[in-house]
Amino acid sequence: MPTVIATISLKGGVGKTTLTAGVAEFLAGVFGKRVLLVDLDAQTNLTTMMIGAEAWLECNQDRRTVATLFADALDGTTDFDLDRAIARDVSPVADVDGIDLLPSSLDLIELQEELSARRVAADDHAEAIGLLRKALAPIVDRYDHILIDCPPNVGPFSLNGLAMADAYIIPTIPDVLSTYAIPHVQRQVADFGAEIGRSIVELGVVISKYRPSSALHQETVRRLRRDPTIHNVLPIYLHEANVIGAAAEYAPWPTLHAKYGYHGHYEQFRDLTRAILVEADGKLG
Ligand SMILES: Nc1ncnc2c1ncn2[C@@H]1O[C@H](COP(=O)(O)OP(=O)(O)O)[C@@H](O)[C@H]1O
Ligand SMILES: [Mg+2]
């Protein structure tokens, strides 16, 4: 069985997608893992980072995205074809093999409201949050890790992600507004875990866009580390850097090292990925 990890935060722009994409690339490219990425965010950023805007448009036109899965549930149709929807061997880095992707779609924006309304109807509730888990069940064993990029809310798509997640990570920029909602996310995930009868383990908070020279960033990290409600701040911080920002652009790279550069950011991502593996091993057994 794969380890399923959701990336979740209530704030947008904290580096959630950048982190999910990078960790997938290092899991596959450096640690030899087979990875499935699931993009649940209507922004489709993870999708375009991995396959580019043109290929995404084609998937979207053919309805080979996760939106079709949710639309089926709402409309009573059976258009979602899992094997066609999974994009194989994605990532623009030539020497990275072993990442597949279930692409996202802008159509999720409209579907979210319909699915939220459906969730309120008590008899459909369990079904509405279990759609993703059920749909992916036939293929999960192909992978060592499934990483799920959730939208910046705890709405129906995030709940679908959490319903199949063993664990989650919370990325944050170490500043006042980005860290504000962390306890709220933790509480909502814990409540949801109680509701579905199992705990979804917090692997930790991941510091992103860290500026070592910023007194605010230093102080915020210290505060988070002292905070007893934060179970764990992972020891490797992703620094704010042009090469990490540029990773958002779909462009061909020969190697991961070429993509993340030669000024320490390759090592940050690699060591962070290792830290996540260690946490998952320790906490999930
Ligand atoms: N460590 C970093 N250094 C520089 N830019 C970053 C870094 N992490 C993310 N970015 C940029 O910040 C923006 C928001 O990041 P993104 O991963 O899309 O956040 P989220 O998914 O939380 O909305 C993007 O333009 C991304 O390229
Ligand atoms: Mg994002």
Side-chain angles (χ1 to χ4, degrees):
M1 287 297 276
T3 307
V4 185
I5 303 173
T7 322
I8 190 157
S9 76
L10 290 183
K11 184 125 171 58
V14 295
K16 188 163 52 65
T17 302
T18 303
L19 171 72
T20 310
V23 168
E25 290 181 324
F26 280 81
L27 279 174
V30 174
F31 297 97
K33 305 291 188 185
R34 297 163 302 165
V35 181
L36 174 65
L37 283 172
V38 179
D39 188 357
L40 291 180
D41 192 345
Q43 309 249 341
T44 70
N45 292 342
L46 181 62
T47 301
T48 54
M49 275 179 81
M50 287 295 130
I51 64 174
E54 244 171 74
W56 169 74
L57 211 60
E58 232 169 78
C59 293
N60 200 46
Q61 273 159 3
D62 295 349
R63 304 192 66 222
R64 287 181 280 123
T65 75
V66 73
T68 307
L69 159 66
F70 294 114
D72 274 353
L74 289 163
D75 302 340
T77 48
T78 53
D79 296 338
F80 183 70
D81 181 335
L82 181 63
D83 271 319
R84 284 187 67 241
I86 299 288
R88 309 288 160 119
D89 198 16
V90 298
S91 165
V93 184
D95 76 342
V96 171
D97 297 319
I99 306 179
D100 290 349
L101 166 78
L102 178 56
S104 180
S105 168
L106 294 169
D107 299 342
L108 287 180
I109 296 169
E110 270 175 43
L111 292 169
Q112 168 155 350
E113 281 172 37
E114 288 181 57
L115 206 66
S116 298
R118 181 70 62 96
R119 232 190 115 228
V120 174
D123 50 337
D124 284 344
H125 176 80
E127 203 188 315
I129 57 172
L131 294 169
L132 182 70
R133 183 192 181 93
K134 191 173 161 202
L136 292 184
I139 62 159
V140 291
D141 283 333
R142 291 183 197 164
Y143 305 99
D144 300 307
H145 296 274
I146 300 179
L147 303 183
I148 304 178
D149 194 23
C150 297
N153 57 52
V154 190
F157 301 131
S158 293
L159 293 182
N160 265 272
L162 289 170
M164 68 175 290
D166 301 301
Y168 68 105
I169 47 180
I170 310 177
T172 189
I173 301 170
D175 63 23
V176 179
L177 294 180
S178 303
T179 54
Y180 190 66
I182 293 175
H184 195 66
V185 178
Q186 294 173 319
R187 207 173 319 114
Q188 287 197 298
V189 176
D191 288 351
F192 181 67
E195 187 188 312
I196 62 173
R198 63 185 182 83
S199 68
I200 304 161
V201 174
E202 181 190 326
L203 295 183
V205 170
V206 176
I207 304 296
S208 67
K209 294 194 182 183
Y210 183 65
R211 290 199 306 275
S213 61
S214 157
L216 173 65
H217 282 200
Q218 291 172 21
E219 178 45 35
T220 306
V221 170
R222 263 200 298 275
R223 173 171 63 75
L224 290 175
R225 287 194 165 284
R226 277 198 306 263
D227 186 335
T229 65
I230 308 265
H231 305 135
N232 189 21
V233 177
L234 294 187
I236 314 294
Y237 311 158
L238 282 183
H239 288 207
E240 185 166 77
N242 289 334
V243 283
I244 300 180
E249 192 188 346
Y250 180 77
W253 293 102
T255 63
L256 269 181
H257 230 129
K259 179 171 180 175
Y260 291 101
Y262 294 88
H263 295 95
H265 305 105
Y266 172 92
E267 288 76 11
Q268 270 168 26
F269 246 126
R270 182 197 59 201
D271 296 349
L272 175 62
T273 304
R274 188 183 289 122
I276 290 171
L277 283 172
V278 168
E279 287 300 319
D281 272 356
K283 289 181 172 164
L284 301 171

